[in-house]
Amino acid sequence: MQKSVRYNEGHALYLAFLARKEGTKRGFLSKKAAEASRWHEKWFALYQNVLFYFEGEQSGRPAGMYLLEGCSCERTPAPPRTGAGPAGARDALDKQYYFTVLFGHEGQKPLELRCEEEQAGKEWMEAIHQASYADILIEREVLMQKYIHLVQIVETEKIAANQLRHQLEDQDTEIERLKSEIVALNKTKERMRPYHSHQEDEDPDIKKIKKVQSFMRGWLCRRKWKTIVQDYICSPHAESMRKRNQIVFTMVEAETEYVHQLYILVNGFLRPLRMAASSKKPPISHDDVSSIFLNSETIMFLHEIFHQGLKARLANWPTLVLADLFDILLPMLNIYQEFVRNHQYSLQVLANCKQNRDFDKLLKQYEANPACEGRMLETFLTYPMFQIPRYIITLHELLAHTPHEHVERKSLEFAKSKLEELSRIMHDEVSDTENIRKNLAIERMIVEGCDILLDTSQTFIRQGSLIQVPSVERGKLSKVRLGSLSLKKEGERQCFLFTKHFLICTRSSGGKLHLLKTGGVLSLIECTLIEEPDASDDDSKGSGHMFGHLDFKIVVEPPDAAPFTVVLLAPSRQEKAAWMSDISQCVDNIRCNGLMTIVFEENSKVTVPHMIKSDARLHKDDTDICFSKTLNSCKVPQIRYASVERLLERLTDLRFLSIDFLNTFLHTYRIFTTAAVVLAKLSDIYKRPFTSIPVRSLELFFAASPNNRGEHMVDGKSPRLCRKFSSPPPLAVSRTSSPVRARKLSLTSSLNSRIGALDLTTSSSSSSPTSHSPTASPPPHTAAVLDSAPADRAGDSTELSPCRSPSTPRHLRYRQPGGQAADSPHCSVSPASAFAIATAAAGHGSPPGFNNTERTCDKEFIIRRTATNRVLNVLRHWVSKHAQDFELNNELKMNVLNLLEEVLRDPDLLPQERKATANILRALSQDDQDDIHLKLEDIIQMTDCPKAECFETLSAMELAEQITLLDHVVFRSIPYEEFLGQGWMKLDKNERTPYIMKTSQHFNEMSNLVASQIMNYADISSRANAIEKWVAVADICRCLHNYNGVLEITAALNRSAIYRLKKTWAKVSKQTKALMEKLQKTVSSEGRFKNLRETLKNCNPPAVPYLGMYLTDLAFIEEGTPNFTEEGLVNFSKMRMISHIIREIRQFQQTAYRIDQQPKVIQYLLDKALIIDEDTLYELSLKIEPRLPA
């Protein structure tokens, strides 16, 4: 019997009798015993959803029964036969049919059965499946959802009926009042009737006069009324009402489109996947379907009701009352909060399900449905994310055109405030979705897949094309030339940088990406970045001249494999600087966190995570800061609103530096502060570093544990392990011409058992990639250690080398494992000092003298070195990626130079810090930034070419390449400061955003040139040939990823002067028309350029996007949210969104095309004498093909 089931014994016996007599299925089956693998033959009878079994066919009392409701039945393979026996008996047992009944109750053991024949077994399985009522349960669930939906409708109708009832009661009262007034007027009329009866008939002339007077009064009234109506039509109020009605019509159209999208999501994906999950071999489980779609069906039902209400309001036009609809909609919009909260998880579940080939194949089949229009499931899951902001913007526009005395003004304002409150709650859940979609798009492009991109903590930084230089034996670079076609073709790699990993891929002819088998996925924690070639290596000496100093190296030391080196070439020095800055910032972010963790945990009773948790200023809202629930790359809550002081405090907090915060701050700081304030803060942190950490954190930091004082280092056998770092702490290694070789410093200490041995590898300026080979590395079970040595052993080290820092302790000596340690009374080096010691040894093989031996354990010394590193990190990022700030502000440049020179004069400066400071100074002092790219001035000079080509002599390839070159030159000349503040929409736009206006002007001139060239031909055939040639040029631009050029040409062909030439278009081939339709679909503005956005996601730079798309996004952000809150706090969430768009623009700006300039072609493209104005074009079009008579 099943557990936890109450039944009436008499009723059960009666049901058993009916089962024996009228059972759906009856017969003998073998039942497996629960205590042993033995089978007992029983007589089974199935009645409705109850399965009885008897000891024999004649037994009157059942031996047991099973309730089959909610169970499932499946076939099982025959159990293996281990015992010896006759072969015939074993064959007979193998031929028997085995199946199992699984119950939905927890703790209920499955029922294992078998029968002699396969046909009988299938009949039993079918009968049990019908008795489980599975289909009825599914139908019950569907009916329950419909019931809930209908209950909501009934409640809504009750509210409406109640409102109508009150209105009817008010109208009845008004009718009674009017009836009483009519009765009173009738009585007055009856009393006056005798006086009128005695009056004599009026004179006919008087009647005529009265008639003329009546006509004149009517004419005057009509004339006055017409004047009133005309004045109202021209009044601002009428214009406002017309705009208001237009907003409502647009809102209805958008709601219709949104309901259609939800319909496709539910009926094209959700319901088919539910059916697939119920199949015999489900490609996806019901839980995964629920996780992916959650309450999408409920959202669809809700908006269908709202859409019907909007259409009903349109039927009552021009009276458009919408406030009551929003009153009904608002209480139900909380379901969006649950959907948004689940959105990130749903994308992860979907990505995991796509690993199943059957599911991926089925999903592609659903996505191939014509109703999807080529959109993927992820796109449909994203549409609900933007619906609440769309309602907010619509209500904002409605209120802008709704008078203050309007009947529904207050209701609309209330609805807008509620939606903004809900949007603020949802904003925390939306912040990560863009990054997740980017990661998933890249992961889908990689044929082999990439599991690390499914990690939500991976943040995309940049991508681009680099050339990988092949290497030969002993790590020496092969003698190749940068201009070699084979190197460009075979060595070109598509590189993707994330916060934790660096991906190197090759691109196949079909556009798919393939990870390199060796070195395709590089973990940044195992990498050492080398910016400049080694001056002491003969190969590297030539490589700098051979590659034009465009190469950089990444030395990878995996813990379970041999070290190797990856050498990459950038297209230009500017792009190399951008790559170097981003990679080093990611490496610094990882290693600085790790090293500070070691330092804090060794010198304090409180660990770093607990320290951050204990610092309420990092996660608790206050009057001057507000946090979101989303964590940044340092696992600290992101800032939503904050004062300028708190933002500067976060920028200089020595415990962590998030690369996403740094990028956002440097992109947008000029909105809420000035560069002088930021530089003053950095200078203050360098001079007074202890002000960078709050008092509470300093107390936790200096709460030293007594076990850390005077404790000697233990050997590698200690049960406590240390964390391993394969390269120096922050600041990338930049190799210089030092004669000293590289070595390793290893420091072993009794730290927490979860941390591995702290191995601070230092790469000297003379070490080559061959030094990382397995033969040159020490054995894995040995390590070099630091020992204390008396000062008198220093020998000739007492004299300081001019290139060495005096702050490095000279009593520290290097000893190989197994060597005899020197006897010294000095305290051993603690891991708290590892940061300073390892950094001091980064550039030299033997540390120089240091007068104060106690300085190695000085926490203040560590904090000062960390503060210096932080200031240099920020300045390096600022100078390398935001050079325009210093080109336009000479005062800022001089102040930074003075600060760096002051840093160089610091007597305690470490060699690596000195080297980093010198690199920043060199980059900042270069007047010519080695920009080999074409500039706008160069374009103007090219127009002085003696002779230009004509359109007929130019090929489509030449035109497309030079158009792409010009478009990219104009596009990349835009400084990112012009994207802030919507300057392109102001009255003084030419002064505030001159380069954006030049880009717009260039777009219009190129479009005018295309239209003018077509209209210059008098005969139809020549015009048709010109159209076909320009379409071919647009298609080549598409292949070159110049989507701005595609839009320039398609916009020209869609002008009224060209589009109306029916005879000319009749001569154009069908292939050209089909190609043009494809190009127009790619750059269409439908759905906020959804097709163009998807195309840009899947293409790698160089590319020229359409600038208007990004300007629309920035305007959307600027108009939707303010820069400051009512309390005066900076809206840093808005800054983060603006920075995301600017980073995407700059990604396309920084990667240049490798196209040779052709002055004659450029002169043709820039010749303004060929351009015809719009009015003249249309007049010429009418002359060529006159209008047909009506």
Side-chain angles (χ1 to χ4, degrees):
M1 293 292 182
Q2 286 175 297
K3 298 179 181 180
S4 303
V5 176
R6 295 183 180 180
Y7 69 98
N8 183 280
E9 186 175 1
H11 191 198
L13 292 175
Y14 176 71
L15 291 176
F17 172 74
L18 291 178
R20 289 177 52 82
K21 183 177 179 182
E22 304 174 359
T24 307
K25 184 69 178 175
R26 291 165 293 177
F28 283 97
L29 293 173
S30 294
K31 174 178 175 293
K32 188 176 181 180
E35 63 278 0
S37 299
R38 301 174 61 185
W39 295 84
H40 301 288
E41 189 174 36
K42 306 289 184 180
W43 194 82
F44 284 79
L46 177 63
Y47 182 74
Q48 293 183 355
N49 64 335
V50 184
L51 179 64
F52 296 92
Y53 65 91
F54 303 83
E55 295 296 337
E57 186 176 1
Q58 303 302 326
S59 300
R61 186 179 185 85
M65 70 176 184
Y66 293 94
L67 296 177
L68 301 180
E69 185 173 348
C71 73
S72 62
C73 184
E74 60 183 22
R75 184 177 180 180
T76 55
R81 300 293 174 182
T82 57
R90 288 199 301 270
D91 293 342
L93 290 174
D94 291 339
K95 292 181 179 179
Q96 289 183 345
Y97 192 86
Y98 293 82
F99 59 96
T100 304
V101 180
L102 302 174
F103 299 96
H105 308 283
E106 294 183 1
Q108 178 66 35
K109 295 182 178 180
L111 174 62
E112 300 183 26
L113 301 173
R114 75 180 183 190
C115 61
E116 301 295 335
E117 298 179 359
E118 181 178 358
Q119 182 63 29
K122 292 181 178 179
E123 292 177 357
W124 272 104
M125 287 183 63
E126 181 64 25
I128 293 174
H129 178 73
Q130 293 180 359
S132 66
Y133 299 155
D135 298 335
I136 297 177
L137 291 175
I138 295 175
E139 186 66 25
R140 177 180 175 275
E141 182 182 355
V142 174
L143 291 175
M144 183 58 66
Q145 293 180 355
K146 292 182 178 179
Y147 169 73
I148 295 173
H149 172 57
L150 291 174
V151 167
Q152 294 176 350
I153 294 176
V154 169
E155 292 297 328
T156 304
E157 294 297 332
K158 284 183 178 179
I159 295 173
N162 191 22
Q163 294 176 351
L164 291 174
R165 190 179 301 109
H166 287 304
Q167 292 178 3
L168 290 174
E169 291 175 356
D170 295 340
Q171 291 176 358
D172 290 341
T173 304
E174 183 67 17
I175 290 172
E176 291 297 329
R177 187 183 64 81
L178 292 174
K179 285 183 178 180
S180 61
E181 290 182 1
I182 291 173
V183 170
L185 289 173
N186 288 335
K187 290 181 179 178
T188 304
K189 185 178 179 180
E190 290 294 331
R191 287 197 299 269
M192 300 209 38
R193 185 172 295 172
Y195 298 98
H196 290 287
S197 59
H198 295 290
Q199 291 181 356
E200 298 180 355
D201 294 336
E202 295 179 343
D203 186 27
D205 295 335
I206 294 178
K207 288 183 178 181
K208 291 180 182 180
I209 292 172
K210 287 183 177 181
K211 190 174 182 180
V212 171
Q213 290 176 343
S214 176
F215 175 78
M216 291 299 296
R217 282 196 299 269
W219 180 79
L220 291 173
C221 287
R222 285 193 296 272
R223 183 178 178 182
K224 186 176 182 180
W225 178 249
K226 183 178 180 180
T227 304
I228 293 173
V229 171
Q230 288 178 347
D231 291 342
Y232 176 75
I233 291 175
C234 299
S235 67
H237 183 272
E239 180 66 21
S240 178
M241 288 297 102
R242 281 194 293 271
K243 291 181 179 179
R244 186 177 188 274
N245 291 340
Q246 184 61 38
I247 292 171
V248 175
F249 297 151
T250 306
M251 176 184 175
V252 174
E253 293 176 0
E255 191 70 20
T256 303
E257 176 66 19
Y258 181 57
V259 171
H260 180 64
Q261 292 165 354
L262 292 176
Y263 179 84
I264 296 174
L265 176 64
V266 172
N267 292 280
F269 293 98
L270 172 57
R271 291 172 180 171
L273 286 177
R274 276 183 184 169
M275 294 177 64
S278 302
S279 61
K280 291 184 179 180
K281 295 182 179 179
I284 186 174
S285 65
H286 282 287
D287 291 339
D288 288 342
V289 173
S290 300
S291 299
I292 293 173
F293 296 94
L294 200 63
N295 51 6
S296 304
E297 199 167 11
T298 308
I299 293 176
M300 184 189 73
F301 291 151
L302 170 64
H303 283 277
E304 283 180 345
I305 298 173
F306 185 66
H307 183 235
Q308 291 173 1
L310 284 176
K311 291 195 295 185
R313 293 296 190 274
L314 285 182
N316 297 328
W317 188 86
T319 303
L320 292 176
V321 180
L322 304 174
D324 56 341
L325 284 178
F326 279 101
D327 291 341
I328 299 172
L329 181 67
L330 285 175
M332 302 180 187
L333 287 181
N334 288 327
I335 60 176
Y336 273 97
Q337 187 175 350
E338 185 177 359
F339 182 90
V340 171
R341 188 181 299 115
N342 182 73
H343 185 66
Q344 177 178 341
Y345 177 67
S346 70
L347 294 179
Q348 291 178 352
V349 173
L350 181 59
N352 293 333
C353 290
K354 286 183 178 180
Q355 304 298 326
N356 183 354
R357 292 185 179 179
D358 295 336
F359 175 80
D360 191 51
K361 182 178 179 181
L362 183 64
L363 183 61
K364 288 181 179 178
Q365 180 183 344
Y366 294 156
E367 291 175 347
N369 189 339
C372 296
E373 297 178 351
R375 292 170 288 184
M376 297 185 297
L377 174 57
E378 291 91 336
T379 305
F380 287 98
L381 289 173
T382 307
Y383 286 136
M385 306 289 291
F386 303 104
Q387 193 60 20
I388 300 299
R390 188 178 291 116
Y391 283 148
I392 294 174
I393 293 175
T394 302
L395 287 176
H396 180 77
E397 294 175 347
L398 271 178
L399 288 171
H401 300 290
T402 300
H404 289 278
E405 65 276 4
H406 197 276
V407 66
E408 56 176 3
R409 172 83 186 189
K410 292 184 179 179
S411 298
L412 291 177
E413 288 178 345
F414 175 77
K416 179 174 175 285
S417 64
K418 287 294 183 182
L419 286 172
E420 288 177 344
E421 180 181 353
L422 180 60
S423 179
R424 283 193 293 270
I425 297 174
M426 292 166 54
H427 177 75
D428 297 337
E429 318 296 339
V430 181
S431 57
D432 279 348
T433 55
E434 285 296 328
N435 178 65
I436 293 173
R437 282 200 297 274
K438 178 67 176 179
N439 291 2
L440 291 176
I442 297 174
E443 197 273 339
R444 293 194 70 173
M445 292 169 61
I446 299 176
V447 175
E448 300 85 359
C450 191
D451 294 338
I452 64 167
L453 297 183
L454 303 180
D455 182 7
T456 56
S457 63
Q458 286 280 11
T459 304
F460 173 78
I461 304 300
R462 68 179 290 117
Q463 71 180 76
S465 297
L466 298 174
I467 296 177
Q468 183 176 3
V469 180
S471 57
V472 293
E473 289 183 330
R474 299 181 182 176
K476 293 183 179 180
L477 296 180
S478 60
K479 300 295 185 179
V480 291
R481 292 169 48 246
L482 180 59
S484 172
L485 292 176
S486 61
L487 178 59
K488 287 186 178 180
K489 183 176 181 181
E490 299 175 5
E492 186 169 2
R493 303 286 185 261
Q494 298 299 327
C495 300
F496 301 89
L497 177 62
F498 298 86
T499 49
K500 297 180 182 178
H501 290 83
F502 185 73
L503 304 186
I504 305 177
C505 306
T506 59
R507 183 179 292 279
S508 62
S509 58
K512 290 292 184 179
L513 298 175
H514 297 272
L515 285 172
L516 295 183
K517 294 182 179 179
T518 303
V521 180
L522 306 181
S523 178
L524 295 180
I525 192 63
E526 303 167 356
C527 297
T528 301
L529 185 63
I530 301 175
E531 180 176 359
E532 298 175 0
D534 187 358
S536 65
D537 191 355
D538 293 337
D539 255 355
S540 298
K541 280 182 180 180
S543 67
H545 300 288
M546 184 188 309
F547 300 137
H549 298 286
L550 300 178
D551 59 321
F552 60 92
K553 302 176 184 178
I554 300 176
V555 180
V556 187
E557 294 180 296
D560 54 352
F564 60 93
T565 301
V566 178
V567 182
L568 299 171
L569 301 180
S572 65
R573 289 193 178 183
Q574 182 182 7
E575 192 160 351
K576 174 189 173 181
W579 274 104
M580 292 290 301
S581 178
D582 285 336
I583 296 174
S584 61
Q585 189 62 47
C586 292
V587 174
D588 295 349
N589 197 24
I590 297 173
R591 293 181 182 165
C592 187
N593 291 343
L595 286 172
M596 291 302 289
T597 300
I598 296 297
V599 171
F600 280 126
E601 290 184 353
E602 179 66 13
N603 287 270
S604 175
K605 299 177 182 179
V606 185
T607 60
V608 168
H610 184 248
M611 178 186 297
I612 292 176
K613 185 182 295 186
S614 301
D615 190 355
R617 293 169 63 86
L618 295 179
H619 57 82
K620 187 176 181 181
D621 293 350
D622 204 346
T623 55
D624 58 350
I625 196 168
C626 180
F627 295 95
S628 68
K629 297 179 181 178
T630 308
L631 303 181
N632 61 19
S633 57
C634 292
K635 304 304 179 185
V636 178
Q638 286 185 349
I639 297 175
R640 181 188 291 171
Y641 312 117
S643 63
V644 178
E645 291 76 14
R646 292 299 293 269
L647 292 176
L648 292 172
E649 178 185 307
R650 174 63 63 89
L651 179 69
T652 54
D653 195 322
L654 303 186
R655 293 167 290 181
F656 47 80
L657 179 61
S658 170
I659 187 170
D660 46 0
F661 174 85
L662 181 59
N663 284 328
T664 301
F665 185 91
L666 291 179
H667 275 137
T668 60
Y669 72 87
R670 56 187 46 78
I671 295 178
F672 50 86
T673 186
T674 62
V677 174
V678 178
L679 185 60
K681 181 66 176 178
L682 292 176
S683 177
D684 185 63
I685 291 302
Y686 168 71
K687 297 174 183 177
R688 291 178 291 277
F690 279 85
T691 61
S692 62
I693 297 182
V695 177
R696 172 60 179 162
S697 298
L698 286 174
E699 291 174 355
L700 294 171
F701 174 64
F702 288 118
S705 173
N707 296 331
N708 297 331
R709 295 290 185 180
E711 182 181 5
H712 292 276
M713 293 181 292
V714 297
D715 57 6
K717 298 180 181 180
S718 172
R720 294 189 175 188
L721 301 177
C722 303
R723 185 167 181 168
K724 178 176 180 181
F725 291 90
S726 60
S727 61
L731 296 177
V733 179
S734 177
R735 301 196 166 194
T736 58
S737 57
S738 172
V740 189
R741 305 299 297 178
R743 62 186 180 86
K744 280 192 175 183
L745 296 177
S746 178
L747 191 62
T748 311
S749 171
S750 57
L751 294 179
N752 193 293
S753 60
R754 292 174 296 176
I755 307 175
L758 180 60
D759 185 4
L760 295 168
T761 304
T762 62
S763 301
S764 78
S765 57
S766 62
S767 61
S768 64
T770 58
S771 65
H772 299 281
S773 62
T775 59
S777 300
H781 298 290
T782 64
V785 296
L786 285 169
D787 267 300
S788 299
D792 56 355
R793 292 191 179 185
D796 56 356
S797 313
T798 55
E799 293 183 9
L800 298 181
S801 172
C803 64
R804 296 181 178 178
S805 172
S807 64
T808 309
R810 68 176 179 179
H811 68 284
L812 297 175
R813 282 293 177 265
Y814 176 69
R815 177 173 64 85
Q816 292 291 343
Q820 185 176 3
D823 297 332
S824 174
H826 297 295
C827 65
S828 61
V829 182
S830 68
S833 310
F835 186 85
I837 298 169
T839 312
H844 306 281
S846 177
F850 184 48
N851 294 330
N852 186 5
T853 58
E854 297 297 329
R855 206 169 200 174
T856 59
C857 301
D858 189 5
K859 304 180 186 69
E860 180 180 356
F861 178 70
I862 298 171
I863 294 296
R864 289 188 181 279
R865 300 279 57 82
T866 311
T868 303
N869 281 342
R870 171 53 47 82
V871 172
L872 294 179
N873 266 332
V874 175
L875 287 178
R876 180 189 58 198
H877 204 81
W878 197 357
V879 170
S880 63
K881 298 191 68 177
H882 304 269
Q884 294 171 344
D885 292 4
F886 306 95
E887 295 172 3
L888 302 176
N889 190 342
N890 191 54
E891 181 181 358
L892 173 64
K893 181 178 179 180
M894 296 306 300
N895 290 335
V896 174
L897 289 174
N898 293 335
L899 175 60
L900 292 173
E901 290 174 356
E902 181 180 353
V903 173
L904 282 176
R905 291 193 296 269
D906 184 0
D908 291 340
L909 197 66
L910 301 180
Q912 188 175 353
E913 297 170 346
R914 190 177 301 277
K915 190 183 302 180
T917 307
N919 288 339
I920 300 173
L921 268 172
R922 183 170 60 253
L924 194 59
S925 301
Q926 287 177 352
D927 295 331
D928 184 7
Q929 291 291 331
D930 187 55
D931 192 355
I932 61 173
H933 303 296
L934 198 64
K935 294 183 173 61
L936 284 174
E937 294 76 11
D938 302 329
I939 299 176
I940 297 173
Q941 292 176 3
M942 287 179 185
T943 58
D944 299 332
C945 186
K947 182 180 179 182
E949 298 283 346
C950 60
F951 180 70
E952 293 81 3
T953 60
L954 297 175
S955 67
M957 178 62 73
E958 291 175 332
L959 287 169
E961 287 183 346
Q962 298 308 305
I963 288 175
T964 300
L965 182 62
L966 290 176
D967 286 350
H968 189 266
V969 166
V970 176
F971 175 69
R972 72 181 297 275
S973 66
I974 305 174
Y976 67 91
E977 294 90 345
E978 293 193 6
F979 295 115
L980 303 175
Q982 286 183 285
W984 63 90
M985 300 178 66
K986 309 299 182 183
L987 294 176
D988 55 345
K989 55 187 176 183
N990 291 322
E991 290 76 22
R992 296 182 61 174
T993 57
Y995 288 95
I996 290 180
M997 301 315 298
K998 287 180 181 178
T999 305
S1000 176
Q1001 180 184 357
H1002 175 73
F1003 182 96
N1004 295 332
E1005 288 176 354
M1006 292 301 299
S1007 185
N1008 288 337
L1009 175 65
V1010 174
S1012 301
Q1013 185 63 55
I1014 295 173
M1015 297 302 297
N1016 277 334
Y1017 295 103
D1019 58 305
I1020 295 178
S1021 300
S1022 299
R1023 287 196 301 273
N1025 292 335
I1027 289 176
E1028 292 183 351
K1029 187 172 181 178
W1030 280 118
V1031 173
V1033 171
D1035 190 45
I1036 298 174
C1037 288
R1038 179 189 62 82
C1039 296
L1040 294 173
H1041 298 165
N1042 179 14
Y1043 300 102
N1044 185 74
V1046 174
L1047 197 55
E1048 287 172 348
I1049 297 174
T1050 55
L1053 297 178
N1054 282 320
R1055 288 192 174 189
S1056 57
I1058 307 294
Y1059 188 77
R1060 62 173 298 277
L1061 302 176
K1062 296 182 180 179
K1063 296 179 181 179
T1064 304
W1065 283 103
K1067 289 284 186 178
V1068 178
S1069 64
K1070 293 181 179 179
Q1071 293 83 355
T1072 301
K1073 292 179 179 178
L1075 178 59
M1076 182 179 172
E1077 184 177 352
K1078 176 183 175 182
L1079 295 173
Q1080 287 178 334
K1081 186 176 180 181
T1082 301
V1083 296
S1084 171
S1085 61
E1086 180 185 357
R1088 297 177 59 244
F1089 297 93
K1090 59 181 179 182
N1091 295 332
L1092 181 56
R1093 292 178 193 275
E1094 194 67 28
T1095 305
L1096 288 172
K1097 279 184 182 179
N1098 298 325
C1099 83
N1100 292 323
V1104 186
Y1106 174 53
L1107 182 63
M1109 177 180 68
Y1110 294 116
L1111 298 182
T1112 303
D1113 293 343
L1114 291 171
F1116 184 86
I1117 295 173
E1118 291 283 0
E1119 293 179 359
T1121 51
N1123 291 333
F1124 299 91
T1125 63
E1126 296 179 355
E1127 295 79 14
L1129 302 181
V1130 179
N1131 187 351
F1132 206 67
S1133 294
K1134 175 182 178 180
M1135 305 299 131
R1136 196 175 293 112
M1137 290 186 287
I1138 293 175
S1139 174
H1140 176 78
I1141 296 175
I1142 295 178
R1143 283 178 58 196
E1144 186 172 349
I1145 295 174
R1146 297 192 70 192
Q1147 173 188 342
F1148 293 117
Q1149 284 182 326
Q1150 290 173 352
T1151 307
Y1153 282 93
R1154 299 170 186 170
I1155 297 176
D1156 296 330
Q1157 307 168 22
Q1158 298 185 26
K1160 293 184 179 181
V1161 182
I1162 292 179
Q1163 184 184 7
Y1164 164 74
L1165 295 174
L1166 297 179
D1167 190 357
K1168 296 184 179 180
L1170 301 175
I1171 299 176
I1172 305 174
D1173 63 90
E1174 184 70 26
D1175 295 336
T1176 308
L1177 273 178
Y1178 196 78
E1179 292 175 0
L1180 190 59
S1181 176
L1182 291 176
K1183 291 180 181 179
I1184 292 172
E1185 292 188 18
R1187 288 194 184 100
L1188 296 176

